[in-house]
Amino acid sequence: MASVTSAAVAIPSFIGIKAGATTAKVSATAKFAASPVPRLSIKASLKDFGIAVAATAASTILASNALAMEVKLGDDDGSLAFVPSEFSVSSGEKIVFKNNAGFPHNVVFDEDGIPSGVDASKISMSDEDLLNSAGETYAVTLTEKGSYSFYCAPHQGAGMVGKVTVN
């Protein structure tokens, strides 16, 4: 048990304040019990570690989703377009193509319009794979720096084309 003794405190008096008023001194003694230092057990430490790992994983997932570039397939007015049709991303940033209007759509990267060494078939949807309803998505992550041209196979003739620059 710890105790504090003989603490002198100066308390000003506000009653009948006059020039040259004095202050009163008060002595007090306070006693309190000091709690023992908590001991960490291995079980508690592992539980805290698990919580920290889960929080870190959740933060990483949220951060990776926050860094995704979203591209609409079909404009809100129903026109056949990628919105935006030209944009830039950082190397390794995810691009999410989201079906919006005028579907079916797909995303095909033009083999003649991508950096050399990149396999267009590995980053494109196949011609048979189509996004048929609102909200369906196709995601791709481009790591090689350069310009990538892409199009929607069913609507390429209508001008549904786009370009992404990877920095």
Side-chain angles (χ1 to χ4, degrees):
M1 181 185 311
S3 64
V4 177
T5 58
S6 187
V9 178
I11 302 174
S13 173
F14 295 106
I15 300 174
I17 296 180
K18 298 180 184 172
T22 61
T23 58
K25 293 199 180 231
V26 176
S27 294
T29 300
K31 294 185 180 186
F32 59 92
S35 61
V37 176
R39 295 181 184 214
L40 295 177
S41 68
I42 292 175
K43 186 176 181 179
S45 297
L46 291 176
K47 180 180 175 186
D48 292 341
F49 178 75
I51 291 170
V53 168
T56 301
S59 296
T60 303
I61 290 168
L62 291 173
S64 67
N65 288 340
L67 296 176
M69 171 69 181
E70 186 175 281
V71 179
K72 289 182 186 177
L73 301 172
D75 202 351
D76 291 337
D77 64 6
S79 62
L80 301 173
F82 290 98
V83 180
S85 61
E86 291 191 23
F87 56 94
S88 295
V89 295
S90 297
S91 175
E93 184 176 349
K94 184 191 298 185
I95 304 167
V96 178
F97 293 90
K98 185 174 182 181
N99 220 10
N100 185 48
F103 33 84
H105 296 296
N106 68 359
V107 180
V108 179
F109 285 88
D110 185 350
E111 62 185 25
D112 295 325
I114 60 176
S116 63
V118 176
D119 185 352
S121 66
K122 290 186 179 180
I123 58 174
S124 299
M125 295 177 71
S126 71
D127 287 337
E128 299 82 36
D129 288 336
L130 296 172
L131 302 175
N132 289 304
S133 58
E136 287 184 321
T137 62
Y138 172 71
V140 65
T141 301
L142 305 174
T143 56
E144 189 68 34
K145 294 182 179 183
S147 294
Y148 294 73
S149 296
F150 56 90
Y151 58 90
C152 170
H155 303 118
Q156 183 180 15
M160 191 168 176
V161 297
K163 182 177 183 179
V164 57
T165 302
V166 177
N167 300 314

